[in-house]
Amino acid sequence: MDKMLDKKLAEVLKKNEVAELSELESICIPKIKSGRDLLCIAGEGCGKTTAIVVSVLQRLKNSLNDTPRAVIIVPDTDTAIEMKNDFLRFGSYTDLRVHLACENEKIDIQKDRIYMGSDVVIGTTKRLNQIYSLYALDLSGIKLFVIDDAEEVLKNMNYSQVIRLANGPAKSQFILFANRLTDLIERFSEEVMAIQEIVEINDEPSDEE
C-alpha cells in the first residue's frame, strides 16, 4: 500500500485501521491518480467511498485557491456527511477545506461557506444546482468531478441538472462509481466523459464498506 499512496496518507490510513486496500481501491486509486476518466461498477462494500476520498486527497494534497478543485455528487445528505467525515479522518494531515452542499442546513450558510473558500464540495444534485445558480459555486477550476452511487444520482429527474454541473468546468477528470450500469450512466459517459477506462468488480465482499 505504501508504494501506491503518499507517505503521510498511508500513515493516517494505518492509524485509522486501514491496513490493506480492497481490490477496488488497489485498482482504481492509481488509475485516478494518473488523471484518466474512470467508470467503476462494483457492489456494496467494495470500498468505493474510500477510493474516492483517498484519490481526491492524493490529487489535491493541500489548500490552494478559494475556488473548489473537486466536486462530489452523492445521492443524499447522509452519504455526504459520511464522506465528509472520512475526509476529516483521512485528510487530517492536510489543510483542505471540505464543505457540504446538501439539505442538512440552510442554503445561505452553505453558500457563504463555499464562497469564502473551499477545496472539496460534496453535495446532492439539487442543492449544488441551487448554490451554483446563486453564483456561489465556481466550477471553473474543478479538476475532479466525481459521482458516487451514479445509478441513483443520474436518474431522469436529476440528469439535466447533473449535466449542467458537468459542463461548468473548463477541463476536468470525470470519475463515476456505481453499483450497476444503467442507460443513463452510459448516456452520461458518452456525452461528457473522454475516452474512459471501465473497471468492473464482480465479487461481493462480506464486510461493509
Side-chain angles (χ1 to χ4, degrees), residues 31-32 35-41 143-148 150 154 159 162-163 165-167 169-178 181-199:
K31 294 182 185 298
I32 295 172
R36 70 186 69 178
D37 286 358
L38 182 70
L39 169 58
C40 179
I41 308 297
K143 303 301 180 187
L144 289 159
F145 191 103
V146 185
I147 302 178
D148 192 19
L154 292 171
Y159 188 82
V162 177
I163 288 293
L165 295 171
N167 288 333
K171 184 178 181 181
S172 179
Q173 177 185 5
F174 289 93
I175 302 162
L176 269 63
F177 283 87
L181 187 63
T182 66
D183 291 342
L184 287 176
I185 291 176
E186 291 184 324
R187 178 180 169 187
F188 182 89
S189 174
E190 292 173 357
E191 287 186 23
V192 176
M193 300 172 74
I195 300 176
Q196 79 276 14
E197 185 160 351
I198 299 175
V199 173

Side-chain angles (χ1 to χ4, degrees), residues 48-152:
K48 296 189 290 294
T49 299
T50 300
I52 291 170
V53 174
V54 168
S55 296
V56 172
L57 288 172
Q58 289 212 128
R59 289 293 309 277
L60 301 190
K61 299 184 184 299
N62 296 297
S63 178
L64 187 59
N65 302 315
D66 289 336
T67 58
R69 289 173 289 150
V71 61
I72 305 171
I73 307 179
V74 296
D76 53 56
T77 297
D78 289 342
T79 303
I81 293 172
E82 180 183 350
M83 186 175 290
K84 180 180 178 180
N85 289 336
D86 284 342
F87 268 104
L88 295 178
R89 287 194 301 132
F90 299 151
S92 58
Y93 64 97
T94 77
D95 60 352
L96 291 175
R97 299 154 298 177
V98 182
H99 298 314
L100 295 181
C102 46
E103 291 74 15
N104 63 319
E105 59 184 351
K106 293 182 178 179
I107 189 171
D108 286 343
I109 296 174
Q110 294 180 341
K111 172 180 69 68
D112 292 344
R113 189 181 293 139
I114 292 169
Y115 183 78
M116 290 300 293
S118 55
D119 298 289
V120 181
V121 179
I122 309 166
T124 60
T125 305
K126 180 179 179 180
R127 181 54 63 87
L128 284 166
N129 268 277
Q130 289 173 333
I131 296 177
Y132 186 48
S133 296
L134 294 171
Y135 302 101
L137 178 61
D138 186 348
L139 298 176
S140 62
I142 293 294
K143 303 301 180 187
L144 289 159
F145 191 103
V146 185
I147 302 178
D148 192 19
D149 292 327
E151 76 281 1
E152 295 297 326

